[in-house]
Amino acid sequence: MVEAFSGEARAAARALAGASTAAKDAALRAAAARLRREEAAILRANADDVARARAAGESAAFVDRLMLTTSRIDAMARGLEEIAALPDPVGETIAAWRRPNGLEIAQVRVPIGVVLSIYESRPNVTADSAALCLKTANAVLLKGGSEAQATNRAIAGAFRAEVEAAGLSAAAVQLVEGGREVTRGLLKRDDRIDVVIARGGETLKHTILEESRIPVVKHFEGICHLYVDESADLAMAERICLNAKVERPSVCNAIENLLVHEAVAPRFLPRIAAALRARRCELRGDAASRAIVGDLKPATDADWDTEYLDLILSVAVVPSLDAALAFIARHSTGLAEAIVTEDYRAARRFLAEVDAAAVFVNASTRFTDGYEFGFGAEVGISTNRLHARGPMGLRELTTYKYQVQGSGQIRA
């Protein structure tokens, strides 16, 4: 199975490299239309997956990530249409120059080749990854989790049908089924697979990082912070905090820790605690925050490093911006961090000194998303430093080569 999947993907990548932008875009638009036409079948498949997850006792956050609705399917389809409307990065000249000896050198974007996308729970990743890889002429192997198997099969089937109808190789988009032995086998095929994009929990993370022979782009924990500075507009801070925590707590760009400057904590903490509790969010606080809001549950050391993906928020009072920066440096996973402040110098320091893929001033961390960044969708949010960081769209799925043209030059 691994031999067949990887071999077909490598052959499809070679063929896809010469595909026209028009053919790729036509396939994407047709796939978007087909997702809408087959909405009822996709929802039926998803209902089966959701029922199995609930019967297995999975958490509400897990079920939310798994569940599709009419609006979520439409969002998938719109993502495909937006990707089709974006410029094709393949063949783009990044830079060009002429050497004194007359050689003309151009740095040009090209596909990476074969992408292995390994992910859990979220079936929208099937459509997003397939679309972004197709647009960038990468073949993709989609290895979703067993919990979303029926849904992924329905989405991938619709997508592949339109890829083939557009005259492109159906093997450019393959849904890989099977257990961990299949995943382990794929992770050894560095001769045929060029990059692994991994999205998932602890077990998946350890398996991939320990066993992969292929470079891995990680999208794992998102322990995100919101820091309310002493100069913050507190009404703005409340709006941002509520959006960043309770709008959709089950996703990686929701905040898990709230930091509040001691100068505004007596005014801000009671109001935000009431607002969060009204939305059924549990609060866990340090000693300083519990001195202000007395009935907060005590936070443990482990709470600051826990990605709840649920309606739970840890709260700490800090004496300064320096203390907030130090706290974030200790506990952040490098996905997204935010400050609310009216102090220009504090904002500039936060932007410069916080080490994360996305850093926000006076905006919600929930914007850490390929669609919100204008990428149409994303294959993941990389917390790597190389080769890509943050939401991964079209450009992040390319590499480059140097095209050199001469007129008979030889090196002395």
Side-chain angles (χ1 to χ4, degrees):
M1 180 184 294
V2 169
E3 181 79 14
F5 277 127
S6 58
E8 290 171 8
R10 177 56 74 193
R14 286 194 295 269
L16 199 59
S20 69
T21 300
K24 294 184 291 185
D25 290 347
L28 289 171
R29 287 190 291 267
R34 191 168 188 133
L35 287 177
R36 292 191 177 100
R37 289 198 308 273
E38 298 189 4
E39 175 190 305
I42 294 170
L43 288 175
R44 283 195 299 273
N46 185 247
D48 291 342
D49 286 333
V50 168
R52 282 192 293 273
R54 285 178 169 149
E58 299 289 357
S59 68
F62 182 97
V63 171
D64 179 66
R65 292 193 298 277
L66 176 61
M67 183 181 294
L68 290 180
T69 61
T70 295
S71 63
R72 289 182 182 181
I73 292 174
D74 184 62
M76 275 195 288
R78 282 187 286 111
L80 269 57
E81 291 164 342
E82 289 202 10
I83 293 166
L86 291 170
D88 188 345
V90 176
E92 172 191 342
T93 299
I94 302 168
W97 61 97
R98 184 184 179 90
R99 296 292 295 148
N101 61 5
L103 286 179
E104 296 179 351
I105 304 174
Q107 185 185 34
V108 178
R109 289 194 189 280
V110 295
I112 291 174
V114 177
V115 176
L116 170 58
S117 178
I118 304 177
Y119 52 100
E120 295 176 324
S121 305
R122 298 180 63 182
N124 65 291
V125 177
T126 301
D128 293 348
S129 295
L132 289 165
C133 286
L134 184 71
K135 179 84 173 195
T136 49
N138 292 292
V140 63
L141 298 169
L142 300 162
K143 184 65 178 72
S146 59
E147 69 282 347
Q149 184 172 307
T151 313
N152 289 337
R153 193 181 295 137
I155 294 169
F159 197 101
R160 277 170 58 91
E162 297 302 336
V163 169
E164 197 165 19
L168 304 173
S169 171
V173 179
Q174 298 184 70
L175 183 69
V176 179
E177 299 190 32
R180 291 182 182 176
E181 71 286 350
V182 173
T183 302
R184 290 189 169 100
L186 289 169
L187 292 173
K188 292 177 171 57
R189 295 313 303 253
D190 56 333
D191 57 329
R192 291 180 172 174
I193 299 170
D194 298 293
V195 67
V196 178
I197 298 173
R199 305 176 66 160
E202 285 292 313
T203 301
L204 182 68
K205 175 175 72 174
H206 289 304
T207 297
I208 293 171
L209 294 181
E210 289 173 8
E211 300 191 19
S212 181
R213 294 180 184 170
I214 308 162
V216 178
V217 177
K218 304 185 296 294
H219 176 162
F220 294 129
E221 298 97 343
I223 299 178
C224 305
H225 297 72
L226 175 66
Y227 168 55
V228 180
D229 189 41
E230 61 181 324
S231 69
D233 176 327
L234 298 186
M236 178 194 292
E238 181 177 343
R239 289 196 307 274
I240 291 173
C241 183
L242 292 175
N243 179 262
K245 183 63 221 181
V246 304
E247 187 264 336
R248 196 175 178 195
S250 65
V251 292
C252 64
N253 56 24
I255 61 169
E256 306 293 8
N257 295 330
L258 172 65
L259 309 178
V260 184
H261 193 285
E262 64 183 9
V264 295
R267 288 180 289 141
F268 183 67
L269 282 180
R271 67 187 283 178
I272 195 60
L276 286 164
R277 284 169 169 168
R279 292 159 176 81
R280 303 187 305 281
C281 183
E282 175 188 320
L283 301 178
R284 302 177 182 180
D286 66 351
S289 61
R290 285 186 287 114
I292 297 168
V293 182
D295 57 347
L296 295 187
K297 182 177 180 178
T300 67
D301 289 342
D303 283 319
W304 312 116
D305 297 308
T306 298
E307 186 183 24
Y308 300 115
L309 299 173
D310 206 347
L311 287 170
I312 305 170
L313 182 64
S314 296
V315 183
V317 174
V318 293
S320 64
L321 172 60
D322 285 325
L325 292 170
F327 189 103
I328 292 169
R330 283 196 305 276
H331 301 290
S332 171
T333 54
L335 191 137
E337 307 296 348
I339 183 175
V340 182
T341 186
E342 296 299 301
D343 183 330
Y344 176 80
R345 287 177 297 179
R348 299 312 299 177
R349 278 196 65 195
F350 196 86
L351 289 170
E353 297 179 31
V354 168
D355 183 16
V359 186
F360 295 87
V361 174
N362 295 335
S364 171
T365 56
R366 289 282 288 112
F367 285 106
T368 313
D369 175 87
Y371 184 83
E372 295 293 341
F373 276 26
F375 299 166
E378 70 193 30
V379 293
I381 301 173
S382 169
T383 52
N384 283 18
R385 293 178 180 278
L386 298 173
H387 78 290
R389 199 177 196 195
M392 292 185 62
L394 296 175
R395 288 183 179 176
E396 289 73 27
L397 284 169
T398 63
T399 182
Y400 56 80
K401 65 182 175 184
Y402 292 99
Q403 296 180 347
V404 185
Q405 297 189 59
S407 54
Q409 289 89 338
I410 61 173
R411 185 168 176 174

